[in-house]
Amino acid sequence: MNVDKLLIELEKKHSGESEYLQAVGEVLESIEDIYNQNPQFESAAIIERLIEPDRVLTFKVAWVDDQGQAHVNIGYRVQFNNAIGPYKGGLRFHPSVNLSILKFLGFEQTFKNSLTTLPMGGAKGGSDFNPKGKSNAEIMRFCQAYMLELWKIIGPDTDIPAGDIGVGGKEIGYMYGIYKKLSSEHNGVLTGKGRNWGGSLIRPEATGFGTVFFAEEMLKTKNESFKGKIVNVSGFGNVAWGAIKKATELGARVMTISGPDGYIYDPDGISGEKIDYLMELRASNQDIAKPYSYEFPDAQFHEGKRPWEAKCDIALPCATQNELDETDAKMLVQNGCICISEGANMPSTPEAIEIFLENKILYGPGKAANAGGVSTSGLEQTQNAMKLSWTAEEVEEKLNLIMKNIHESCVKYGKEPDGYVNYMKGANIAGFMKVANAMLDQGVI
Ligand code: NDP
């Protein structure tokens, strides 16, 4: 494999798909050596077959708002790779959604799902629909219209979608309802379901919990822990919420949350009733940062800024891709941050990652550190198949064990001669090897 040549060819074929090209570039650089040591990969064109999605579906989603006005959005499902199991990956509803973003997410998901050790292939989907400011009735009508097309290509042994940005328990409920009606089957095809109809305990918190468990494993290698640490979190969605809850439980103080318009710094820490208040705001599809600073006057709202400028020991980016750049990374390092664990997918730019690695900081890339969400989705599917439901303690214990195993795999493939663990390299190689070997076993298809 010649990484530069491959990337040039890919850029020619998919010009302008910057997020997808960024995600592929990062993986290719990590796996180049091991790939070239295994000539069987080259002769089966494993990498050329792995970087292109198996299938991309785009479709029109027409829906009507509360005033009777019709709207059209674009719906997508990218089925990336099913070598190790049925396609699996979330749905994102956000105005920024496009093919490049969904292809980067589907590509990442393939490696992430491989790392979990569960039999899940990679996929991603969603729409450029913006749920912000919409009524529940509008969101329901949109979800139903989206599923009218998607249901044709999903199934419990084919493709199992879940949530992502803009898609939480409410949206999963609306989509599951219409899927059930169309297919006449109650087969658990979506994960992140409500507790009363096949959902798993701990699934809502799982991604954030897993990000903290992964960070805890990294910290242990330096005889450190969350206890007494200052933690900065970005976003305040499904992932950030779980991360804040678990970091606080482990004795840390979380100082920040953020939205696209800026971040909140709360010198008293963000926990307890403050989290309940934030959850209420989220449930009514409102912005959170400004109202929070009005409700808790000691908290400061830093408009147009990102939480990485505030001093912390541990940073947990939990909002979106490329939300932490080179300047942010330098600031974190200068301010003494010792650990970054990514709850979001690809939140750090390549230049920021370079700074973390140069400074030999504990850096857990999203495809490893946020794999707890999809792992618990896998556990939800297992409970559905067995027609039983585990207690919260049972699910959390299994999740913690999976995160420990992912950490071990990253150490196995990412430990450098001086003892520093390059978790990004480790995650990419460990994820790749399993998928590549499964593809070899199954022939050229
Ligand atoms: P949510 O929609 O629940 O939350 C996203 C949060 O990030 C919101 O608070 C949102 O603010 C904020 N946000 C969005 N854009 C920006 C921005 N440019 N700058 C700062 N904040 C921003 O999504 P999730 O929590 O589900 O997902 C967050 C990340 O985690 C994504 O990268 C996703 O792919 C990843 N992920 C999610 C998993 C899951 O289980 N949900 C699993 C694995 C990864 P606002 O609402 O005001 O727009």
Side-chain angles (χ1 to χ4, degrees):
M1 163 170 68
N2 178 328
V3 173
D4 290 340
K5 193 164 157 257
L6 258 175
L7 283 176
I8 289 169
E9 279 167 15
L10 201 64
E11 196 157 359
K12 267 193 221 148
K13 266 197 272 181
H14 305 290
S15 69
E17 296 188 3
S18 59
E19 294 86 357
Y20 164 62
L21 295 167
Q22 180 184 336
V24 173
E26 180 209 290
V27 169
L28 294 192
E29 274 167 30
S30 297
I31 63 166
E32 184 175 14
D33 290 346
I34 204 153
Y35 193 89
N36 290 333
Q37 286 155 17
N38 287 272
Q40 70 276 24
F41 292 153
E42 189 73 41
S43 58
I46 291 291
I47 201 61
E48 289 81 355
R49 288 161 55 208
L50 186 48
I51 58 183
E52 289 290 345
D54 287 353
R55 190 171 300 107
V56 174
L57 176 70
T58 69
F59 49 92
K60 176 183 73 189
V61 186
W63 60 281
V64 178
D65 69 20
D66 289 345
Q67 282 69 47
Q69 175 65 50
H71 298 268
V72 176
N73 287 97
I74 308 177
Y76 302 87
R77 184 70 177 165
V78 177
Q79 295 182 329
F80 219 99
N81 185 295
N82 67 352
I84 61 171
Y87 300 109
K88 175 101 195 84
L91 301 174
R92 177 177 291 193
F93 292 169
H94 193 271
S96 64
V97 163
N98 58 32
L99 198 52
S100 169
I101 288 181
L102 294 179
K103 278 169 67 180
F104 119 63
L105 289 165
F107 181 72
E108 289 272 302
Q109 194 80 44
T110 303
F111 292 81
K112 183 190 309 188
N113 292 1
S114 165
L115 282 172
T116 66
T117 69
L118 303 174
M120 301 182 289
K124 206 78 191 187
S127 171
D128 58 356
F129 171 73
N130 186 1
K132 251 312 166 48
K134 304 286 191 302
S135 70
N136 283 345
E138 288 172 329
I139 290 176
M140 181 179 74
R141 286 195 292 275
F142 175 81
C143 288
Q144 291 174 338
Y146 177 81
M147 194 48 95
L148 273 180
E149 200 60 42
L150 189 74
W151 83 283
K152 297 170 190 166
I153 60 156
I154 61 173
D157 296 317
T158 320
D159 184 349
I160 308 102
D164 191 77
I165 291 180
V167 178
K170 179 169 62 187
E171 292 76 15
I172 291 288
Y174 293 146
M175 286 191 273
Y176 195 68
I178 186 85
Y179 172 85
K180 210 161 46 70
K181 186 137 190 137
L182 291 162
S183 66
S184 302
E185 286 187 14
H186 198 310
N187 57 21
V189 72
L190 302 177
T191 55
K193 298 184 289 293
R195 268 298 287 147
N196 297 329
W197 40 280
S200 173
L201 285 167
I202 304 291
R203 177 61 190 90
E205 303 93 326
T207 308
F209 275 23
T211 301
V212 170
F213 290 151
F214 193 85
E216 203 181 25
E217 290 305 305
M218 292 197 289
L219 289 164
K220 272 189 207 161
T221 66
K222 303 272 177 209
N223 295 320
E224 288 283 5
S225 74
F226 269 87
K227 203 163 173 50
K229 296 288 187 303
I230 297 293
V231 176
N232 286 3
V233 171
S234 63
F236 186 76
N238 295 314
V239 178
W241 167 64
I244 294 172
K245 215 169 134 184
K246 187 50 74 181
T248 308
E249 250 177 68
L250 294 178
R253 187 134 62 106
V254 177
M255 311 304 278
T256 67
I257 50 165
S258 72
D261 49 348
Y263 78 95
I264 288 283
Y265 180 85
D266 189 335
D268 303 325
I270 300 166
S271 60
E273 50 149 353
K274 293 175 174 173
I275 297 194
D276 298 340
Y277 174 72
L278 287 164
M279 294 303 280
E280 274 169 37
L281 290 175
R282 265 183 66 74
S284 53
N285 309 323
Q286 289 183 54
D287 283 335
I288 45 126
K290 270 188 198 154
Y292 182 96
S293 62
Y294 301 148
E295 182 77 12
F296 304 104
D298 284 346
Q300 303 134 21
F301 175 58
H302 297 266
E303 192 156 7
K305 298 278 178 61
R306 302 200 274 216
W308 319 127
E309 64 179 22
K311 191 170 164 49
C312 66
D313 303 306
I314 298 167
L316 305 176
C318 295
T320 193
Q321 65 274 358
N322 293 328
E323 54 155 321
L324 194 166
D325 65 15
E326 187 179 5
T327 313
D328 299 320
K330 283 183 178 158
M331 217 132 48
L332 284 168
V333 173
Q334 263 169 25
N335 285 334
C337 177
I338 57 168
C339 174
I340 290 98
S341 188
E342 296 182 339
N345 283 309
M346 208 167 75
S348 307
T349 63
E351 297 77 20
I353 296 172
E354 209 44 58
I355 302 284
F356 299 145
L357 299 181
E358 263 171 27
N359 286 277
K360 307 223 177 253
I361 281 187
L362 297 171
Y363 164 65
K367 62 170 74 70
N370 71 34
V374 72
S375 302
T376 310
S377 280
L379 299 177
E380 181 175 327
Q381 286 176 260
T382 307
Q383 292 169 79
N384 293 164
M386 293 165 80
K387 308 213 184 303
L388 52 75
S389 93
W390 292 322
T391 63
E393 291 72 27
E394 283 174 300
V395 179
E396 190 170 332
E397 196 187 323
K398 290 182 201 312
L399 166 64
N400 200 341
L401 188 63
I402 290 172
M403 297 315 294
K404 283 189 167 132
N405 289 338
I406 295 175
H407 179 267
E408 254 176 46
S409 301
C410 294
V411 172
K412 179 176 167 195
Y413 288 105
K415 199 165 197 163
E416 293 181 342
D418 65 356
Y420 175 67
V421 181
N422 181 334
Y423 288 93
M424 179 181 73
K425 186 172 175 195
N428 286 335
I429 296 178
F432 167 76
M433 289 303 278
K434 186 169 159 191
V435 178
N437 284 320
M439 289 172 74
L440 277 182
D441 291 345
Q442 293 167 21
V444 179
I445 42 166

